[in-house]
Amino acid sequence: MSPLNPSSISPACSIAVHSSLQAVVVGYTDGTVLFYQGDVLHDKGLNSRWTKVRDSSLSEGAVTGLAIATLPASKTVVFVITQKHVYSYVLDNGKTVIGHKKHDANGATADCWTFDESTGQLIVASREMLFFYDADQCIDMDSGEIGRCLQLGRGHEKLQLVANGQYLALLTKHHSLIQKEKDSEFMTMLTVYDVKGQYVGFSCSLPNLCRLFVAGSTMLVLGHDGLLSELIEKNLATKLDILVKKNMFDVAVLIAKHSKDGADHLKGIHEKYGNYLYSKGDHENAIHQYKETIGKVEPSYVMKRYLDSSKIKELCIYLECLHDAKKDNEHQTKILMNAYAKQGDKKKLMEFVNKITDGSRSSRMRDVFEILLKWNYLPEASLLATKFQMHEDALNVIIHHMHKYTMGVTYISRMPVESVIEMTGKYGRDLLLHVKDDLLHMLWEKIRENTDCKNNFMRLFDIFMCDMDASQVFLNYVLHQTNREEHAKFIILVLEYHMRSFKSKDWTEEQLNEDIYKYITKQNEDVVLQMAQLFDCTPVIEHILMRCHKSKELMMYHQKKGDLKSIIRLCQSSSSEEKRRLWLDTLTYIGKNASADDEPIIIDLLNEIELSGLIHPLVVLELLAKNEHLTISSVKDYIITWLRKQQIIIQEDRNTIKDNNKAMRELDSTIESLKFNAQIMQVTKCSACDTPLQIPTVHFLCKHAYHVHCFESYNLDGSDKCPACTTAQEHTRHEEISYHKFQKELAEATNGMELIAMYLQRGLFDGKKPSKKSDIRRDPFSSSSRISSSNNPFEDDEVGTISRTMSTVSSNMAPSRQRSTTRKEDDSKNPFFNSDSDNKINTYDESKNPFGATTSTNPFD
């Protein structure tokens, strides 16, 4: 190639051949660059047809690098690298230089640049940074500076730059910190970058200068001492694991996306990334990571983290993605709609409603309607109900919420006749009150149009009960065309006429049974009750309410009439389950309405309340104190009796407090000893297997010790706590729960002795011996020698103090703890069982005795 440049005697020093073998570029030591385009192997004009791309420039030195990039439209870009600068030349048809540009890179040696022909990218390494230039950007010369730069290996001399796939390997020269030989003043730092992923894949220092070689996809490092090393890329799972541990989630996601098998790891990375951001308080970015986990992570795991009102915006984002992925359910749809409504974003709410009302998920329309109604989107709710033929719901919104009664009549008139009768029966009273003429006009038309079902319209008669004129008109219009074959259809009318005449004459019990009671059935009792209240027919009301066991409603009725004797009579005749509530209602009524003349009745009432023991005396006094007409004489005997009982209870409570204070002082002494005194570990046998301890061992401050393998066998939950003490604490907690449950049931029970008898029948207070020897050895950590009621003795999550020792246990230490070969009675189900937390000795607490004479039912205790 040297004789091709006759104008200069400088030899060729650099050459580049395009992979298509259709272009060659040659550089000379004086800076001249020649370009040839044609068949390199067979063209006979190879020695003559050359285009001079660059003239000589002795000041810049020899050409150290050349690269050829072919572009569409017969354009070719030639990169020229000298020791001082980097140039790009654009040729048209390989003959004419139509533009060139001097780049900001400071040049490079022959080993400090690399070119990727497939992408047309040139990478040049200078002392400060690496420059990246793309061939397609060099065509537009007026766009200013092109390319980009990265500060890789800044401040160090670059020895070699090698590209291998997606990686860039860079050798930099550093002063050696450890000089093993006389000529080892410098060492080489090898760094492998993934520029696209923006991370360092590998970095190490080599004692001497070295060289990089690429053989296929293999990268080799040849050391000064002749040692040849190969760089082997880790598998994808290992790389991702390393990045996740370093919290480099962005890089891990990028690698997984560009890897062949990375899709299997993406959702797991996004989940860990989301958890990391959430723990840092970055809830907004965390939800964007959780979005990518849909299909892998249970949605409830994410949703429970964003149920707080301050995070409702992020919750909406996640639920929207869940819905778009069709992974949501009805519950999640309701949450999303409520979240939209709470934010006041009506536009998004209605867009979402329109999206889910396409007919594919019509089963959700009931929930959608209820949410719209809840947040007062009434027009939208009525339109939705109308669209999906939810007629009752639509009328409920139109009449009861929007109060558009005329629209309600119009809506009913467009329905089939059976639906007209049904809907008029439900909403007719409101319509009759506000749009009477429109309702009657609609009914007359329906009756005329449907002559074959006129009898069905008699079901609407109850809506006219409050309007006698309208009811008379309706009856006259319907009954004169009706064949009265079935008398049962007119029972309601018969009852109404009888109750209308109730006030005008005296009725005996026989007359009531004959004329009214025998017509009352379970099907019509609600209607009859309404009529009886309308006409103030007291015997009928009492009969129906007692028959339906509605003592509360009957109590309210007597209170409204001011009949105290009837109220007390009702309380006396009520069942034991309702008696306490009725007594309270009665006392409340007396506190508001009783007079001084009622004091004898009140004294008898208090005696019955005292005997029943269902109401606390303070409640009784508080309710009666609201009455300004009652005197102290009415409650004097009742108060004295109660105070005597309380005095006995107070004395017992004082004794209990004294015992508790003594126990607390003993606990404080034990805690202080554990905190400030040295604890001597003298246990020589394992608390789990009861064999002599051998290192390594685990010691606890609770005076228990284990072999390491025994401790790990029982420490299933991974917590550092003593398994034996955990089991004892679990027993104590179950015992306390059973005790409090029994006390709560006893306090709420109307018949305490019946409850206690039930517990006795179950054998809860019997001493039961374990029947099998295997049951005795079930729990090796039960410090109180009781059979554990739980299969897992290590459910407690508290962390205990553990002392690990590798020293040999001396044989002259304190005697080893002997394990009990027997088990005490199973007390875990006994609500009266109690255990001392320090000595584990069962004691009996008189205050928990349900048979004691001082058991109080005071709700204020």
Side-chain angles (χ1 to χ4, degrees):
M1 293 298 179
S2 296
L4 294 177
N5 188 12
S7 60
S8 173
I9 60 175
S10 301
C13 61
S14 181
I15 186 170
V17 183
H18 196 267
S19 61
S20 64
L21 300 180
Q22 297 297 316
V24 179
V25 61
V26 182
Y28 295 84
T29 56
D30 62 352
T32 304
V33 178
L34 299 181
F35 177 78
Y36 170 80
Q37 185 172 0
D39 192 343
V40 176
L41 297 180
H42 304 94
D43 198 342
K44 297 181 179 180
L46 184 61
N47 296 330
S48 58
R49 295 197 303 271
W50 288 82
T51 302
K52 181 178 286 189
V53 175
R54 184 174 184 269
D55 295 328
S56 63
S57 178
L58 297 176
S59 61
E60 294 193 6
V63 176
T64 58
L66 294 171
I68 304 173
T70 60
L71 300 176
S74 300
K75 288 185 172 54
T76 305
V77 176
V78 177
F79 289 102
V80 179
I81 306 169
T82 66
Q83 294 182 355
K84 293 185 177 181
H85 295 97
V86 177
Y87 299 89
S88 62
Y89 297 88
V90 182
L91 287 77
D92 189 9
N93 293 322
K95 298 179 180 179
T96 307
V97 179
I98 61 176
H100 73 280
K101 185 173 181 62
K102 178 182 178 181
H103 299 287
D104 54 358
N106 296 328
T109 62
D111 294 328
C112 292
W113 66 275
T114 181
F115 179 74
D116 188 354
E117 188 179 295
S118 62
T119 61
Q121 185 180 67
L122 174 69
I123 305 175
V124 181
S126 66
R127 184 177 180 83
E128 298 299 326
M129 57 187 65
L130 266 62
F131 296 87
F132 298 78
Y133 301 107
D134 294 325
D136 54 355
Q137 295 180 353
C138 297
I139 298 177
D140 188 5
M141 293 299 177
D142 298 329
S143 62
E145 182 56 43
I146 59 177
R148 58 193 178 93
C149 57
L150 297 175
Q151 297 181 4
L152 304 180
R154 183 175 184 180
H156 298 285
E157 181 182 350
K158 309 297 189 298
L159 298 179
Q160 190 177 3
L161 178 66
V162 175
N164 184 19
Q166 66 188 36
Y167 300 106
L168 274 179
L170 182 63
L171 290 179
T172 55
K173 185 177 181 181
H174 296 254
H175 283 281
S176 179
L177 301 178
I178 303 175
Q179 298 183 5
K180 293 185 178 181
E181 301 175 0
K182 294 181 180 179
D183 58 347
S184 60
E185 179 183 356
F186 296 98
M187 67 175 181
T188 305
M189 181 65 71
L190 170 61
T191 309
V192 181
Y193 301 97
D194 186 338
V195 178
K196 190 173 183 180
Q198 298 183 358
Y199 69 93
V200 178
F202 178 76
S203 178
C204 74
S205 60
L206 302 172
N208 296 300
L209 302 181
C210 62
R211 294 281 297 178
L212 285 173
F213 299 93
V214 177
S217 60
T218 304
M219 189 177 295
L220 303 173
V221 183
L222 181 59
H224 182 73
D225 54 356
L227 179 65
L228 185 64
S229 305
E230 179 185 359
L231 296 181
I232 301 175
E233 184 177 1
K234 295 181 182 293
N235 59 57
L236 178 62
T238 303
K239 291 193 291 185
L240 294 178
D241 184 59
I242 294 172
L243 292 172
V244 169
K245 288 180 179 179
K246 294 182 177 182
N247 295 330
M248 300 174 65
F249 299 99
D250 292 333
V251 180
V253 170
L254 189 60
I255 291 178
K257 285 183 178 179
H258 293 88
S259 300
K260 182 179 179 181
D261 300 326
D264 299 334
H265 303 275
L266 266 177
K267 292 185 182 295
I269 297 173
H270 284 295
E271 178 186 1
K272 295 177 181 178
Y273 196 9
N275 293 337
Y276 173 77
L277 293 174
Y278 187 88
S279 65
K280 297 296 182 182
D282 191 357
H283 303 140
E284 182 176 358
N285 289 325
I287 200 66
H288 291 293
Q289 299 302 322
Y290 286 132
K291 290 193 308 183
E292 304 297 332
T293 64
I294 294 176
K296 177 181 181 297
V297 178
E298 180 66 26
S300 58
Y301 171 78
V302 180
M303 291 169 57
K304 69 181 181 181
R305 294 187 164 202
Y306 288 87
L307 292 178
D308 190 87
S309 59
S310 60
K311 306 170 190 174
I312 193 170
K313 181 179 178 182
E314 290 78 12
L315 179 62
C316 290
I317 295 175
Y318 180 78
L319 291 175
E320 287 171 359
C321 295
L322 199 65
H323 180 82
D324 293 338
K326 295 184 179 180
K327 300 289 186 180
D328 61 328
N329 53 37
E330 296 184 4
H331 180 65
Q332 292 157 358
T333 300
K334 292 169 66 176
I335 294 177
L336 179 56
M337 293 185 63
N338 281 292
Y340 281 143
K342 190 170 184 178
Q343 292 182 97
D345 197 342
K346 182 178 179 181
K347 181 179 179 181
K348 279 191 175 182
L349 176 60
M350 297 316 302
E351 288 177 354
F352 183 75
V353 171
N354 294 331
K355 185 186 298 184
I356 63 177
T357 55
D358 56 358
S360 60
R361 302 184 183 184
S362 58
S363 60
R364 297 184 177 180
M365 292 307 105
R366 168 67 59 182
D367 297 332
V368 174
F369 170 80
E370 292 178 354
I371 293 172
L372 292 175
L373 185 61
K374 172 185 176 182
W375 293 98
N376 206 32
Y377 293 112
L378 302 180
E380 292 79 6
S382 63
L383 289 175
L384 181 69
T386 304
K387 179 179 179 180
F388 290 92
Q389 298 182 355
M390 299 160 57
H391 302 305
E392 184 174 353
D393 297 314
L395 286 172
N396 181 46
V397 175
I398 294 172
I399 296 174
H400 290 162
H401 295 83
M402 300 176 65
H403 305 295
K404 295 183 177 181
Y405 304 101
T406 303
M407 181 186 295
V409 174
T410 304
Y411 189 99
I412 294 175
S413 64
R414 297 174 181 175
M415 300 169 65
V417 60
E418 287 298 325
S419 299
V420 169
I421 297 173
E422 181 182 358
M423 294 298 107
T424 304
K426 292 181 178 180
Y427 302 100
R429 292 195 177 186
D430 292 326
L431 297 176
L432 188 65
L433 181 63
H434 296 88
V435 285
K436 177 179 178 180
D437 295 338
D438 294 339
L439 177 63
L440 294 177
H441 179 71
M442 184 269 294
L443 290 176
W444 305 157
E445 289 184 353
K446 291 296 179 181
I447 292 173
R448 287 195 300 268
E449 293 173 359
N450 300 274
T451 55
D452 55 340
C453 59
K454 288 180 182 178
N455 291 339
N456 293 332
F457 285 93
M458 286 300 301
R459 293 181 293 172
L460 301 178
F461 180 73
D462 59 338
I463 69 173
F464 298 98
M465 295 301 291
C466 297
D467 191 338
M468 297 309 301
D469 296 335
S471 63
Q472 188 67 30
V473 173
F474 179 79
L475 286 175
N476 292 336
Y477 193 85
V478 176
L479 294 180
H480 75 279
Q481 304 181 28
T482 303
N483 295 324
R484 303 185 180 183
E485 297 176 356
E486 299 180 3
H487 183 67
K489 296 182 180 180
F490 307 101
I491 288 178
I492 301 300
L493 293 177
V494 173
L495 293 175
E496 178 187 357
Y497 290 134
H498 284 308
M499 283 187 284
R500 281 180 179 274
S501 60
F502 178 75
K503 292 293 183 181
S504 60
K505 59 181 180 178
D506 296 332
W507 288 70
T508 63
E509 190 68 19
E510 294 180 357
Q511 290 176 327
L512 289 172
N513 288 327
E514 182 67 24
D515 296 336
I516 298 179
Y517 291 167
K518 71 177 184 179
Y519 295 116
I520 299 176
T521 62
K522 188 175 182 179
Q523 289 74 20
N524 64 13
E525 61 186 8
D526 292 337
V527 179
V528 176
L529 179 61
Q530 293 178 4
M531 290 192 299
Q533 292 173 343
L534 178 65
F535 299 117
D536 195 20
C537 188
T538 302
V540 177
I541 294 175
E542 290 182 350
H543 175 78
I544 295 176
L545 292 179
M546 292 299 295
R547 174 179 174 175
C548 298
H549 305 287
K550 296 182 178 180
S551 57
K552 183 177 181 180
E553 287 79 359
L554 184 55
M555 170 70 73
M556 295 174 61
Y557 177 77
H558 288 318
Q559 289 177 355
K560 186 176 180 180
K561 295 185 66 177
D563 191 351
L564 183 57
K565 293 183 178 180
S566 299
I567 292 173
I568 296 176
R569 187 170 59 252
L570 173 63
C571 295
Q572 294 172 342
S573 61
S574 62
S575 62
S576 58
E577 292 80 8
E578 297 180 340
K579 186 164 292 186
R580 184 177 185 277
R581 177 178 55 81
L582 294 177
W583 284 133
L584 288 173
D585 292 341
T586 304
L587 291 172
T588 303
Y589 172 77
I590 292 174
K592 294 180 179 179
N593 303 286
S595 62
D597 297 335
D598 298 326
E599 286 188 1
I601 301 176
I602 295 174
I603 293 174
D604 296 335
L605 173 65
L606 292 178
N607 291 333
E608 292 186 12
I609 293 176
E610 180 185 354
L611 293 175
S612 65
L614 296 176
I615 304 176
H616 195 275
L618 290 179
V619 178
V620 175
L621 296 178
E622 182 180 3
L623 295 175
L624 295 181
K626 297 179 181 179
N627 194 304
E628 300 177 355
H629 305 288
L630 297 179
T631 62
I632 192 65
S633 60
S634 59
V635 295
K636 178 180 178 181
D637 296 338
Y638 178 77
I639 295 174
I640 292 174
T641 303
W642 173 64
L643 290 177
R644 289 174 179 172
K645 293 181 179 180
Q646 291 300 310
Q647 186 63 33
I648 299 173
I649 296 174
I650 290 172
Q651 185 60 38
E652 293 179 352
D653 290 341
R654 287 175 179 172
N655 296 334
T656 303
I657 292 172
K658 184 183 297 183
D659 295 339
N660 290 339
N661 288 334
K662 181 179 178 181
M664 289 172 63
R665 286 193 295 270
E666 294 176 357
L667 287 175
D668 290 339
S669 176
T670 303
I671 294 171
E672 183 177 2
S673 175
L674 289 174
K675 284 185 175 180
F676 303 104
N677 298 338
Q679 304 299 315
I680 300 175
M681 305 299 179
Q682 294 181 335
V683 180
T684 60
K685 287 192 177 182
C686 177
S687 299
C689 64
D690 204 24
T691 59
L693 290 173
Q694 296 178 358
I695 59 173
T697 60
V698 181
H699 291 269
F700 289 84
L701 291 178
C702 57
K703 308 303 181 183
H704 291 139
Y706 307 89
H707 296 109
V708 169
H709 56 271
C710 291
F711 174 74
E712 292 175 350
S713 299
Y714 288 95
N715 189 22
L716 299 180
D717 57 353
S719 62
D720 294 337
K721 60 185 180 180
C722 177
C725 296
T726 302
T727 306
Q729 294 172 4
E730 195 68 25
H731 277 297
T732 303
R733 183 164 66 251
H734 288 318
E735 291 157 5
E736 291 178 351
I737 291 174
S738 300
Y739 170 73
H740 291 300
K741 179 181 178 182
F742 174 80
Q743 290 289 61
K744 182 178 179 181
E745 292 182 0
L746 184 61
E748 296 177 352
T750 56
N751 190 341
M753 293 305 300
E754 182 180 353
L755 177 66
I756 295 172
M758 181 182 66
Y759 272 84
L760 289 171
Q761 184 180 5
R762 294 177 181 175
L764 199 59
F765 307 108
D766 297 340
K768 295 182 180 179
K769 301 289 185 179
S771 58
K772 295 182 180 179
K773 188 174 182 180
S774 59
D775 294 335
I776 297 177
R777 302 292 294 177
R778 185 184 303 170
D779 184 5
F781 297 118
S782 179
S783 59
S784 60
S785 300
R786 295 190 305 274
I787 299 175
S788 174
S789 61
S790 173
N791 292 330
N792 182 8
F794 312 124
E795 293 176 349
D796 197 359
D797 292 332
E798 295 179 359
V799 178
T801 305
I802 297 180
S803 172
R804 300 181 183 267
T805 176
M806 299 298 294
S807 62
T808 306
V809 179
S810 176
S811 61
N812 58 359
M813 302 179 79
S816 61
R817 179 180 60 82
Q818 297 297 327
R819 300 188 58 192
S820 176
T821 58
T822 61
R823 289 291 186 266
K824 294 182 181 180
E825 297 178 0
D826 187 358
D827 298 319
S828 61
K829 298 179 180 179
N830 190 344
F832 302 102
F833 176 76
N834 190 16
S835 62
D836 189 275
S837 60
D838 294 329
N839 301 322
K840 307 298 181 182
I841 298 176
N842 293 337
T843 59
Y844 176 74
D845 190 352
E846 180 63 29
S847 64
K848 299 178 181 179
N849 184 3
F851 302 100
T854 59
T855 300
S856 174
T857 58
N858 185 357
F860 299 96
D861 284 346

